[in-house]
C-alpha cells in the first residue's frame, strides 16, 4: 500500500462529522457541533403610558389564540388619530410571553411626511434582526421574503407591521409559519389582504364617552378631572373622542396650573379654530391637522374632490344621493368615491348607504372646501339644496294629496317626478333627513339662496302636519319668512305666513294664527294667487273658530266653500267642509256637523288622503259622543284610531284616545277610561303638545278627579290616583 493510502475518511454516525486524517498522532476525539444561538429580537416601541379602554378590541386580538387558530393575522384599521398603533403596541407588550422567540416591529410610514417604506427595506431589517445574512441587493424582494420566512419557520415570533399603506406593502412581510402572529395597523381597510389571507379586521371607532373622559384623567390627573366632570365630558366630545386629540388637549391643560378644563372648552367652542388648538408645543401647531393631511394627500383626485364637497354638507350624516348632488356625479360614481373615503379612514359608514364625519374630520373637510374657488363651492351647495327641495316637494305631494304643490308649482296637469313609491316611504325619507333638512334651510338662508330657504319649509308642510315637531316647524318657517322678505318675494312671504299659522293653530289656538293668515290672504289678493286666496280664506274662518268666534268663522268658511265649489279642486272643498264641521261641532249643531263631515270624509277618500280620513272619522266620533251614542262613538273612534296608527299620526291619536276615554267613562268603564286618558297624555307630552295635554287633564279633572269615589283619576303626571 502506498504511503498516501494511509489517509482515510472517518465518519461518526453520532455526529455526522467528516474527519480527514493523514498522519495522526495520539488519540482521536469526536465532539458535537454547538447549536447556533439565534438572536431574539425585542423591537416593540415604548408602551403608551396610561393606556385606557379598548377592552372589546383587545379581547378580539386575543380570540385567535383562545380558539387555537393555526395562523393569526389581524388588521387594525380606523381613522387618523383613533389610536390604532397605541392599541397594537399595548397588546403586543401585554402578550409578549406568548412569543418567546421575539417580537419584530416596523413603522412602514404609510401615512407620514416621509415616503412609505419599501417592502425590501423592512424585509432586510427583519432578516438582519433574525440573524440572517445582510448582503442583499435592493429590490430583491422575493429572495429576501424567502429568507425571512425560512428564518421564522418553527419560531414563535410576533410581527407588528405599523402604519401600512396598502396590501402590496404588507404581503411580503407575512411569515409562512403558523407559529407566528401578525398585527397590521393601517388607516386603509386593506380589503385585499383580508380577502386573500383570511386576515381578521378590527375597525377602531372613537372611544366611548366614559373611556374618553378616563383617558383625559390619566393625563390631567384625577383631582383636576373630578373637579370639572362636566367640562371634561364636553372636552372629550369636542375632541371627537379621538385619543390623539384627547392627549393633545390634556397637554394644553397641564401646561399651566392655572388653566382649567373649562377654559379649554371655551376656546374649543369656537369650532373653526379647534384644529389650531389641537397641537403640542413643539409640533409647529399642526398635530391633528397633519395626521389628517397624510391621508388626504394620498387620495385620488376624484376622491379628494368628494371629500372637500362633503365639507359643505350642513348635516351630521348623509346618503349617497346627497353626496352625488354635492359632487355633481352620478350616484354610482358617488358610491364608489364614498367607499374610497371609508377605506382611507376619512369617512365613517354609519348605516346602510349612510355616511358621516366625526367633528374634527368635518372641520378638516370644511377647511379644504374653503380652498376651492367660490364659484365651485356655490354651485355644489346649490345642487345640494335643490336636490333636497326636489325630494321634499315630491314627498309633500304624496303626504298632502294637494292638487297644487306650492314649492315647484306642480298642478294636476304636471305632477312631480315619482321619487317615492308611496306615502310611507315619503314620510320615512322626511323623518330620516329631518336634521339635514333643518340644517339645509339655515344654510340656504345664510348663503343667500332665499328661494330655497322659503320653499323648503313650505314643502315640508305635509311632514310637519303629520308629526308636529312644533319648535322645528316654527323655526324653519320663521327662517323661510325672513328669507322671503329679505329677497322681496311676496309669494314666498304669503306662503310661509300661511304655513306658519298651522303651527300656531296647533300650539297656540288663541295666539297669532289669525294675524298670520290674514296677512297671507291680503298678499294673495294683491298678487292674484287665487288658489292661495281660497286656502287662506278658509283658514281665516278656522282661526275664528279656534278663537271662539263661531259666527265670523261660519261667514268666512261658507265664502271659501263657495269659491272652492266653483273649481274641481276636491282637496280644497274637503278641508273647508271639515273646518265647517268642526265649527258646527263647537256650536253643538250635531246634524249639520255630521252632514258636512260625512261629505268631507267622502272627498278625502276620493283623493286618497288617509291622514285626513282619520281626522274626519275622529270628528264624526265626537258627533256621536255629543249625542250620547256612546257605543257607536267608541266604534267610530276605534276606526279613526286604526287610521291614525296606519299613517303614524300620533297627534290625532291622542285626541281620539281622549274621546274614547270620555265615552268609556260615561258608560261606567272607569279604569278603561283612565287607561285611554293616560295613553293620550303620554303621547301629548311626548309631542310637547301642551294644549292637548292641558285639555286632557281638564277633562280628567272635570269627569273623574272631582268624584274620586267613582274610580281612579289621573294626576298631572298621568298616573292613576
Amino acid at each position: 500500500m502506498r504511503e498516501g493510502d494511509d489517509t482515510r475518511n472517518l465518519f461518526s454516525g453520532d455526529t455526522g462529522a467528516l474527519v480527514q486524517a493523514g498522519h495522526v498522532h495520539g488519540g482521536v476525539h469526536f465532539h458535537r457541533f454547538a447549536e447556533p444561538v439565534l438572536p431574539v429580537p425585542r423591537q416593540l416601541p415604548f408602551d403608551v403610558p396610561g393606556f385606557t379602554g379598548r377592552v372589546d378590541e383587545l379581547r378580539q386580538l386575543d380570540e385567535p389564540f383562545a380558539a387555537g387558530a393555526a395562523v393569526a393575522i389581524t388588521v387594525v384599521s380606523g381613522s387618523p388619530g383613533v389610536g390604532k398603533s397605541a392599541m397594537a403596541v399595548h397588546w403586543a407588550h401585554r402578550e409578549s410571553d406568548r412569543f418567546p422567540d421575539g417580537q419584530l416591529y416596523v413603522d412602514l410610514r404609510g401615512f407620514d411626511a416621509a415616503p412609505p417604506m419599501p417592502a425590501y427595506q423592512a424585509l432586510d431589517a427583519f432578516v438582519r434582526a433574525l440573524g440572517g445574512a445582510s448582503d442583499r441587493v435592493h429590490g430583491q424582494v422575493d429572495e429576501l421574503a424567502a429568507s425571512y420566512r425560512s428564518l421564522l419557520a418553527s419560531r414563535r415570533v410576533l410581527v407588528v407591521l405599523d402604519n401600512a399603506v396598502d396590501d402590496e406593502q404588507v404581503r411580503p412581510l407575512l411569515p409562512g409559519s403558523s407559529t407566528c402572529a401578525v398585527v397590521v395597523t393601517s388607516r386603509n381597510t386593506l380589503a385585499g389582504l383580508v380577502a386573500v389571507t383570511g386576515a381578521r379586521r378590527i375597525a377602531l371607532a372613537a372611544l366611548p364617552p366614559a373611556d374618553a373622559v378616563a383617558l383625559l384623567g390619566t393625563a390631567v390627573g384625577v383631582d383636576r378631572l373630578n373637579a370639572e366632570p362636566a367640562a371634561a365630558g364636553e372636552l372629550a366630545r369636542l375632541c371627537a373622542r379621538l385619543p390623539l386629540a384627547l392627549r393633545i388637549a390634556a397637554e394644553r391643560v397641564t401646561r399651566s396650573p392655572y388653566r382649567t378644563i373649562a377654559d379649554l372648552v371655551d376656546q374649543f367652542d369656537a369650532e373653526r379654530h379647534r384644529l389650531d388648538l389641537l397641537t403640542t408645543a413643539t409640533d409647529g401647531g399642526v398635530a391633528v391637522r397633519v395626521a389628517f393631511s397624510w391621508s388626504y394627500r394620498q387620495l385620488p383626485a376624484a376622491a379628494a374632490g368628494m371629500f372637500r364637497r362633503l365639507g359643505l354638507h350642513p348635516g351630521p350624516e348623509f346618503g349617497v344621493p346627497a353626496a352625488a348632488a354635492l359632487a355633481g356625479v352620478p350616484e354610482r360614481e358617488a358610491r364608489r368615491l364614498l367607499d374610497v373615503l371609508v377605506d382611507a379612514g376619512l369617512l365613517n359608514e354609519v348605516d346602510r348607504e349612510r355616511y358621516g364625519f366625526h367633528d374634527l374630520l368635518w372641520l378638516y373637510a370644511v377647511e379644504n372646501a374653503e380652498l376651492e374657488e367660490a364659484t365651485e363651492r356655490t354651485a355644489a351647495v346649490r345642487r345640494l339644496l335643490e336636490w333636497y327641495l326636489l325630494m321634499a316637494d315630491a314627498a309633500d305631494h304624496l303626504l298632502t294629496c294637494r292638487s297644487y304643490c306650492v314649492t315647484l308649482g306642480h298642478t294636476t296637469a304636471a305632477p312631480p317626478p315619482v321619487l317615492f313609491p308611496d306615502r310611507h316611504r315619503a314620510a320615512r325619507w322626511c323623518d330620516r333627513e329631518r336634521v339635514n333638512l333643518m340644517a339645509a334651510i339655515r344654510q340656504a338662508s345664510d348663503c343667500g339662496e332665499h328661494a330655497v330657504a322659503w320653499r323648503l319649509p313650505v314643502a315640508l308642510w305635509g311632514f310637519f302636519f303629520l308629526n308636529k315637531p312644533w319648535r322645528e316647524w316654527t323655526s324653519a318657517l320663521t327662517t323661510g319668512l325672513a328669507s322671503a322678505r329679505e329677497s322681496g318675494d311676496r309669494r314666498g312671504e304669503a306662503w310661509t305666513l300661511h304655513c306658519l299659522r298651522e303651527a300656531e293653530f296647533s300650539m297656540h289656538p288663541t295666539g297669532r294664527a289669525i294675524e298670520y293668515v290674514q296677512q297671507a290672504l291680503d298678499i294673495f289678493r294683491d298678487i292674484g294667487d287665487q288658489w292661495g286666496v281660497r286656502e287662506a280664506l278658509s283658514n281665516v274662518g278656522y282661526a275664528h273658530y279656534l278663537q271662539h268666534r263661531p259666527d265670523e268663522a261660519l261667514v268666512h268658511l261658507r265664502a271659501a266653500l263657495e269659491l272652492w265649489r266653483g273649481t274641481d279642486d276636491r282637496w280644497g272643498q274637503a278641508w273647508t267642509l271639515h273646518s265647517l264641521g268642526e265649527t258646527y261641532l263647537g256650536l253643538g249643531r250635531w246634524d249639520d256637523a255630521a252632514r258636512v263631515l260625512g261629505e268631507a270624509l267622502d272627498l278625502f277618500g276620493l283623493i286618497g288622503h288617509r291622514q285626513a280620513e282619520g281626522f274626519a272619522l275622529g270628528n264624526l266620533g265626537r258627533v256621536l259622543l255629543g249625542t250620547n251614542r256612546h257605543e257607536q262613538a267608541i266604534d267610530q273612534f276605534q276606526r279613526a284610531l286604526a287610521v291614525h296608527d296606519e299613517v303614524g299620526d300620533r297627534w290625532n291619536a291622542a285626541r281620539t284616545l281622549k274621546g274614547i276615554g270620555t265615552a268609556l267613562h260615561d258608560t261606567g268603564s272607569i279604569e278603561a277610561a283612565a287607561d285611554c286618558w293616560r295613553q293620550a297624555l303620554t303621547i301629548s307630552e311626548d309631542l310637547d303638545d301642551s294644549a292637548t295635554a292641558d285639555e286632557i287633564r281638564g277633562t280628567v279633572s272635570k269627569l273623574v278627579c272631582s268624584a274620586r269615589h267613582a274610580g281612579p283619576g289621573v294626576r298631572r303626571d298621568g298616573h292613576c290616583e
Side-chain angles (χ1 to χ4, degrees), residues 664-678:
L664 288 168
H665 178 273
D666 289 352
T667 58
S669 299
I670 307 302
E671 292 185 10
D675 184 61
C676 285
W677 286 328
R678 188 160 44 246

Side-chain angles (χ1 to χ4, degrees), residues 218-448:
T218 64
V220 303
V222 175
D223 290 343
R224 296 185 77 170
L225 186 73
N226 291 340
E228 300 180 87
E234 181 63 8
L235 183 59
R237 185 190 69 80
L238 292 169
C239 289
R241 306 196 309 277
L242 290 183
L244 174 62
L246 289 164
R247 289 185 181 279
I248 294 172
E251 188 273 337
R252 292 188 70 86
V253 172
T254 56
R255 285 182 198 176
S256 167
Y258 307 107
R259 181 176 294 162
T260 67
I261 298 173
D263 291 337
L264 193 57
V265 167
D266 289 341
Q267 290 179 284
F268 272 34
D269 271 340
E271 64 178 20
R272 297 301 298 276
H273 304 294
R274 203 179 306 167
L275 291 177
D276 294 330
L277 293 168
L278 285 170
T279 71
T280 62
T282 58
D283 63 12
V286 288
V288 171
R289 185 181 284 112
V290 154
F292 295 161
S293 73
W294 292 334
S295 292
Y296 174 69
R297 287 199 301 261
Q298 293 193 19
L299 291 173
M306 174 64 86
F307 180 79
R308 294 191 298 273
R309 298 289 193 278
L310 293 175
L312 300 171
H313 191 279
E317 65 173 62
F318 41 83
V320 174
L326 267 171
V329 298
E331 287 188 24
R332 182 176 180 180
E333 174 65 2
R335 189 176 288 106
R336 184 187 71 80
L337 295 175
L338 292 170
D339 285 344
V340 172
L341 294 177
V342 170
D343 288 344
L346 291 173
L347 190 66
N348 298 320
E349 191 170 9
V350 298
D351 203 343
R352 182 176 179 272
E353 297 208 326
R354 300 286 292 184
Y355 303 85
F357 294 115
H358 62 64
D359 285 354
L360 297 181
L361 267 174
W362 176 73
L363 289 174
Y364 184 68
V366 170
E367 285 186 356
N368 281 276
E370 290 177 348
L371 297 177
E372 289 198 308
E373 292 290 335
T375 54
E376 291 292 326
R377 295 198 306 270
T378 300
V381 170
R382 182 174 291 129
R383 285 193 302 268
L384 177 70
L385 294 174
E386 289 178 348
W387 177 78
Y388 274 123
L389 178 59
L390 178 69
M391 296 294 288
D393 183 74
D396 190 60
H397 189 78
L398 288 171
L399 292 173
T400 64
C401 301
R402 282 193 254 201
S403 57
Y404 174 67
C405 283
V406 175
T407 49
L408 299 182
H410 297 306
T411 66
T412 52
V418 180
L419 300 175
F420 301 101
D422 53 51
R423 66 180 312 280
H424 296 288
R425 299 281 183 88
R428 282 202 296 270
W429 180 86
C430 291
D431 189 53
R432 182 159 209 176
E433 296 289 344
R434 177 171 160 180
V435 174
N436 289 335
L437 289 163
M438 297 303 102
I441 292 166
R442 293 189 296 272
Q443 183 181 40
S445 177
D446 292 343
C447 70

